[in-house]
Amino acid sequence: MPSGYVHGLILHAPFPLDLPEAPGPDDVRLRLGPVRISSRRRTPRRNRSRWGGHRTGILWKGVATAYAWCEGIGAFRIHEGREIVADLAPGAGEALVRSWILDRLMSPLLQQRGLLALHASAAAIGGEAAIFLGRSGQGKSTLAGFFRKQGHLLLSDDMTALEVGAKCSRVFPSLPQLRLSPKSWIALDIDPSLLPEAVPE
């Protein structure tokens, strides 16, 4: 399976993630294997979240290792910013697995690599990166889509990875996609029949 490029990293996976192909040595390897998280730690709490209607959680076991799970998708181990072990649930759909890995697991992995992972979209405007932060549903992707429609380069949607320096910071490009709701289609005057479905929900 070819490796793909995301957030400035070359990621190798045993199944398609629909990433731009990237030659060269892999920075991150995703492999299938057993991941054990006790039922007690899977119990939903206030600080845990829901994703697409599924209960989820991310646990840190020290700086180098994080565990994540999503009901109906699987359990995952993220280690030292270089490896993701996936224990997929029976019948987990490809689109949901891909979206969960690239949406949720990249944040702890990027943090393990010393990068800042923001819940944000970004566009390149005038040679610099403009980053749009906000809660879910507040228009980050729509705003990035507006600038894209004006001819600016889309850098990332929903998650933005930064390398923070003393004098300047670098933004790494993310996936070549922009996920939009029906309201955003209307605001950006986009024909929804031209848009592929990102996640079944």
Side-chain angles (χ1 to χ4, degrees):
M1 197 64 62
S3 300
Y5 183 82
V6 61
H7 297 299
L9 303 171
I10 298 177
L11 170 63
H12 179 85
F15 46 80
L17 291 176
D18 297 328
L19 296 174
E21 287 193 23
D26 301 324
D27 297 303
V28 181
R29 294 191 72 86
L30 189 154
R31 65 178 178 85
L32 300 176
V35 176
R36 301 287 176 252
I37 304 175
S38 70
S39 59
R40 178 177 61 84
R41 291 192 176 275
R42 288 177 185 246
T43 303
R45 298 176 183 170
R46 288 184 181 179
N47 65 334
R48 308 242 169 99
S49 63
R50 298 187 76 83
W51 180 84
H54 304 277
R55 287 186 300 181
T56 71
I58 293 180
L59 305 167
W60 290 91
K61 301 280 284 185
V63 176
T65 306
Y67 292 88
W69 77 94
C70 184
E71 289 185 344
I73 295 179
F76 303 85
R77 178 178 179 265
I78 307 103
H79 185 62
E80 293 187 342
R82 297 185 179 281
E83 181 186 60
I84 299 172
V85 181
D87 192 351
L88 301 181
E94 284 187 12
L96 282 176
V97 169
R98 174 186 182 274
S99 188
W100 171 256
I101 290 171
L102 298 178
D103 290 352
R104 293 297 182 264
L105 301 190
M106 287 295 105
S107 178
L109 184 136
L110 291 168
Q111 292 178 59
Q112 289 173 354
R113 297 183 70 93
L115 300 175
L116 179 62
L118 297 176
H119 181 206
S121 297
I125 302 172
E128 297 184 349
I131 300 173
F132 317 120
L133 295 113
R135 294 182 183 274
S136 295
Q138 289 191 323
K140 299 183 298 296
S141 297
T142 306
L143 189 56
F146 170 79
F147 282 105
R148 174 68 183 88
K149 195 168 183 179
Q150 303 304 309
H152 300 286
L153 179 66
L154 175 70
L155 294 176
S156 64
D157 178 40
D158 199 52
M159 182 185 295
T160 299
L162 288 92
E163 183 179 64
V164 180
K167 294 184 178 180
C168 67
S169 298
R170 254 194 326 175
V171 173
F172 293 98
S174 179
L175 304 174
Q177 69 178 20
L178 187 64
R179 289 176 300 176
L180 301 170
S181 68
K183 288 182 180 179
S184 296
W185 305 342
I186 297 169
L188 296 172
D189 193 28
I190 296 174
D191 180 357
S193 68
L194 303 177
L195 303 179
E197 187 179 64
V199 180
E201 283 77 5

